[in-house]
Amino acid sequence: MLKIPVASKKLIEEEDCEIVMALGMPGPMEKDKMCAHEASTGLIRAQLMTNTHILEVFVHEDEEEDPKELKKLADNRAREHAQNLIKMMFHPKLMRKEAGKGMREGKEDVGPL
């Protein structure tokens, strides 16, 4: 997980990517959660260093007990983040309209704030 921020930064600086999706699946142990947090912090730093969006798409193994449901969650979350990426690049006004609506990637929406 801790390699994700460096890989994302390299994609931006060396491959001229305009936006990056960083996918990861942290395990269920406390150590895994700590590593995921450190990776998240690294992604934030990489964004600030490059002035480029990096969409963090993490699915924690303990979010679902049933492996089929976990696979479904991972698939839905990745797809919905990819849709957000497209909105950010090509339809930013639509993205701003959706802010604060409680829309979740991969799970049921929770409704507006």
Side-chain angles (χ1 to χ4, degrees):
M1 298 252 15
L2 296 176
K3 296 176 184 178
I4 292 175
V6 172
S8 297
K9 186 173 178 286
K10 287 177 71 102
L11 285 170
I12 293 162
E13 294 179 343
E14 297 175 14
E15 303 296 330
D16 296 322
C17 289
E18 295 180 35
I19 195 165
V20 172
M21 278 181 60
L23 288 82
M25 185 172 271
M29 307 300 286
E30 191 60 35
K31 181 177 182 176
D32 301 323
K33 294 178 188 309
M34 187 178 302
C35 287
H37 178 269
E38 293 302 317
S40 293
T41 302
L43 288 171
I44 292 167
R45 287 186 180 142
Q47 289 181 81
L48 293 170
M49 292 169 72
T50 62
N51 291 321
T52 303
H53 290 289
I54 301 172
L55 300 183
E56 178 183 314
V57 185
F58 288 179
V59 177
H60 294 257
E61 284 184 25
D62 58 358
E63 285 190 69
E64 294 289 346
E65 289 185 27
D66 180 359
K68 288 181 182 178
E69 289 299 313
L70 184 62
K71 181 181 183 298
K72 181 179 170 184
L73 172 62
D75 183 63
N76 288 342
R77 189 165 292 163
R79 286 176 190 278
E80 291 174 15
H81 273 289
Q83 290 169 351
N84 287 342
L85 182 147
I86 292 166
K87 289 176 197 171
M88 289 172 75
M89 291 190 71
F90 303 108
H91 308 288
K93 288 181 183 177
L94 177 59
M95 192 75 185
R96 282 192 285 275
K97 279 176 126 177
E98 293 177 355
K101 302 289 188 210
M103 298 170 73
R104 295 276 169 92
E105 288 78 16
K107 295 228 178 195
E108 294 292 320
D109 295 342
V110 295
L113 301 174

